[in-house]
Short mmCIF file of all heavy atoms in Angstrom, two decimals:
data_model
loop_
_atom_site.label_atom_id
_atom_site.label_comp_id
_atom_site.label_asym_id
_atom_site.label_seq_id
_atom_site.Cartn_x
_atom_site.Cartn_y
_atom_site.Cartn_z
N GLY B 428 -0.53 -5.48 -12.17
CA GLY B 428 -1.74 -5.83 -11.43
C GLY B 428 -1.43 -6.59 -10.16
O GLY B 428 -1.99 -6.30 -9.09
N VAL B 429 -0.50 -7.54 -10.26
CA VAL B 429 -0.11 -8.32 -9.09
C VAL B 429 0.50 -7.41 -8.04
O VAL B 429 0.18 -7.50 -6.85
CB VAL B 429 0.88 -9.43 -9.49
CG1 VAL B 429 1.45 -10.13 -8.26
CG2 VAL B 429 0.21 -10.44 -10.41
N LEU B 430 1.38 -6.52 -8.48
CA LEU B 430 2.02 -5.59 -7.55
C LEU B 430 0.99 -4.69 -6.89
O LEU B 430 1.05 -4.41 -5.70
CB LEU B 430 3.07 -4.75 -8.29
CG LEU B 430 4.37 -5.47 -8.61
CD1 LEU B 430 5.21 -4.67 -9.59
CD2 LEU B 430 5.17 -5.74 -7.33
N GLU B 431 0.04 -4.23 -7.68
CA GLU B 431 -0.94 -3.30 -7.14
C GLU B 431 -1.87 -4.03 -6.16
O GLU B 431 -2.18 -3.52 -5.09
CB GLU B 431 -1.75 -2.65 -8.28
CG GLU B 431 -2.59 -1.48 -7.80
CD GLU B 431 -2.76 -0.41 -8.88
OE1 GLU B 431 -2.45 -0.66 -10.07
OE2 GLU B 431 -3.22 0.70 -8.53
N LYS B 432 -2.27 -5.23 -6.52
CA LYS B 432 -3.13 -6.01 -5.63
C LYS B 432 -2.44 -6.26 -4.29
O LYS B 432 -3.06 -6.28 -3.23
CB LYS B 432 -3.49 -7.36 -6.29
CG LYS B 432 -4.56 -8.12 -5.52
CD LYS B 432 -4.64 -9.59 -5.93
CE LYS B 432 -5.33 -10.42 -4.85
NZ LYS B 432 -4.82 -11.82 -4.81
N SER B 433 -1.13 -6.45 -4.34
CA SER B 433 -0.37 -6.72 -3.12
C SER B 433 -0.20 -5.46 -2.27
O SER B 433 0.25 -5.54 -1.13
CB SER B 433 1.00 -7.26 -3.47
OG SER B 433 1.85 -6.19 -3.88
N GLY B 434 -0.51 -4.31 -2.84
CA GLY B 434 -0.34 -3.06 -2.11
C GLY B 434 1.08 -2.51 -2.19
O GLY B 434 1.39 -1.50 -1.54
N LEU B 435 1.95 -3.16 -2.95
CA LEU B 435 3.32 -2.67 -3.04
C LEU B 435 3.44 -1.44 -3.91
O LEU B 435 4.38 -0.66 -3.78
CB LEU B 435 4.25 -3.77 -3.56
CG LEU B 435 4.58 -4.89 -2.56
CD1 LEU B 435 5.20 -6.09 -3.26
CD2 LEU B 435 5.52 -4.37 -1.48
N ILE B 436 2.49 -1.30 -4.83
CA ILE B 436 2.47 -0.08 -5.63
C ILE B 436 1.02 0.43 -5.75
O ILE B 436 0.09 -0.29 -5.41
CB ILE B 436 3.02 -0.30 -7.06
CG1 ILE B 436 2.03 -1.10 -7.91
CG2 ILE B 436 4.35 -1.00 -7.04
CD1 ILE B 436 2.42 -1.20 -9.38
N TYR B 437 0.89 1.64 -6.22
CA TYR B 437 -0.43 2.11 -6.61
C TYR B 437 -0.24 2.94 -7.86
O TYR B 437 0.90 3.21 -8.26
CB TYR B 437 -1.10 2.91 -5.49
CG TYR B 437 -0.42 4.21 -5.15
CD1 TYR B 437 -0.89 5.42 -5.67
CD2 TYR B 437 0.69 4.24 -4.33
CE1 TYR B 437 -0.26 6.62 -5.36
CE2 TYR B 437 1.31 5.43 -4.01
CZ TYR B 437 0.83 6.62 -4.53
OH TYR B 437 1.47 7.80 -4.22
N SER B 438 -1.35 3.33 -8.48
CA SER B 438 -1.21 4.06 -9.73
C SER B 438 -2.40 4.98 -9.93
O SER B 438 -3.47 4.77 -9.37
CB SER B 438 -1.11 3.08 -10.89
OG SER B 438 -2.33 2.39 -11.06
N THR B 439 -2.16 5.99 -10.74
CA THR B 439 -3.24 6.92 -11.09
C THR B 439 -3.18 7.15 -12.58
O THR B 439 -2.11 7.05 -13.19
CB THR B 439 -3.04 8.27 -10.38
OG1 THR B 439 -1.78 8.81 -10.80
CG2 THR B 439 -3.03 8.12 -8.88
N LYS B 440 -4.32 7.45 -13.16
CA LYS B 440 -4.35 7.67 -14.60
C LYS B 440 -4.74 9.11 -14.91
O LYS B 440 -5.70 9.63 -14.36
CB LYS B 440 -5.34 6.71 -15.25
CG LYS B 440 -5.14 6.60 -16.75
CD LYS B 440 -5.96 5.46 -17.35
CE LYS B 440 -5.72 5.37 -18.85
NZ LYS B 440 -6.45 4.25 -19.45
N LYS B 441 -3.94 9.73 -15.75
CA LYS B 441 -4.21 11.10 -16.13
C LYS B 441 -4.12 11.14 -17.65
O LYS B 441 -3.09 10.81 -18.22
CB LYS B 441 -3.15 12.04 -15.51
CG LYS B 441 -3.50 13.50 -15.62
CD LYS B 441 -2.58 14.35 -14.73
CE LYS B 441 -3.22 15.70 -14.40
NZ LYS B 441 -2.43 16.47 -13.42
N GLY B 442 -5.21 11.53 -18.28
CA GLY B 442 -5.23 11.44 -19.73
C GLY B 442 -5.13 9.97 -20.11
O GLY B 442 -5.81 9.14 -19.56
N ARG B 443 -4.21 9.68 -21.03
CA ARG B 443 -4.07 8.25 -21.38
C ARG B 443 -2.87 7.62 -20.70
O ARG B 443 -2.53 6.48 -20.96
CB ARG B 443 -3.98 8.10 -22.90
CG ARG B 443 -2.89 8.90 -23.48
CD ARG B 443 -2.87 8.89 -25.00
NE ARG B 443 -1.94 9.93 -25.44
CZ ARG B 443 -1.53 10.09 -26.68
NH1 ARG B 443 -2.00 9.33 -27.63
NH2 ARG B 443 -0.68 11.04 -26.98
N VAL B 444 -2.23 8.35 -19.82
CA VAL B 444 -1.02 7.84 -19.16
C VAL B 444 -1.30 7.40 -17.73
O VAL B 444 -1.84 8.17 -16.93
CB VAL B 444 0.07 8.93 -19.15
CG1 VAL B 444 1.27 8.46 -18.33
CG2 VAL B 444 0.48 9.28 -20.56
N ARG B 445 -0.93 6.17 -17.43
CA ARG B 445 -1.02 5.69 -16.05
C ARG B 445 0.34 5.77 -15.40
O ARG B 445 1.33 5.27 -15.95
CB ARG B 445 -1.56 4.26 -16.03
CG ARG B 445 -1.62 3.66 -14.62
CD ARG B 445 -2.30 2.31 -14.58
NE ARG B 445 -3.68 2.38 -15.03
CZ ARG B 445 -4.68 2.83 -14.27
NH1 ARG B 445 -4.44 3.24 -13.03
NH2 ARG B 445 -5.90 2.88 -14.76
#
Side-chain angles (χ1 to χ4, degrees):
Chain B
V429 172
L430 284 167
E431 191 149 13
K432 189 196 160 211
S433 78
L435 286 166
I436 73 172
Y437 66 98
S438 67
T439 59
K440 196 170 181 178
K441 192 168 202 173
R443 56 186 169 170
V444 174
R445 178 173 298 282

